[in-house]
Amino acid sequence: MFEHFFQCPHCWEEISMLLDSSVHHQKYIEDCEICCNPIELDVTFQDGELIGFSTNSIG
């Protein structure tokens, strides 16, 4: 698992999420741990290294 810190696109607070580095490309929705709004995550790993990360607010 890989811990990544970023700003929530809703409340702009810094949050962290654990990402599974064994999966090359992932796209899924999780709620912000601060404001509980949904965030769409688009994550790409190559050889266990994070090479792409983007978020989109939903709603």
Side-chain angles (χ1 to χ4, degrees):
M1 296 302 275
F2 181 88
E3 184 175 23
H4 185 67
F5 293 86
F6 62 98
Q7 282 188 322
C8 170
H10 295 281
C11 68
W12 302 107
E13 292 291 328
E14 183 177 61
I15 59 174
S16 70
M17 289 193 181
L18 291 175
L19 307 173
D20 185 354
S21 60
S22 68
V23 180
H24 173 69
H25 184 250
Q26 307 165 60
K27 193 170 189 176
Y28 59 96
I29 297 171
E30 280 206 29
D31 291 339
C32 171
E33 60 192 37
I34 306 294
C35 70
C36 299
N37 283 303
I39 304 167
E40 181 181 54
L41 301 161
D42 193 343
V43 181
T44 305
F45 283 92
Q46 184 174 1
D47 299 324
E49 302 259 341
L50 182 64
I51 62 167
F53 182 87
S54 65
T55 61
N56 291 308
S57 59
I58 297 184

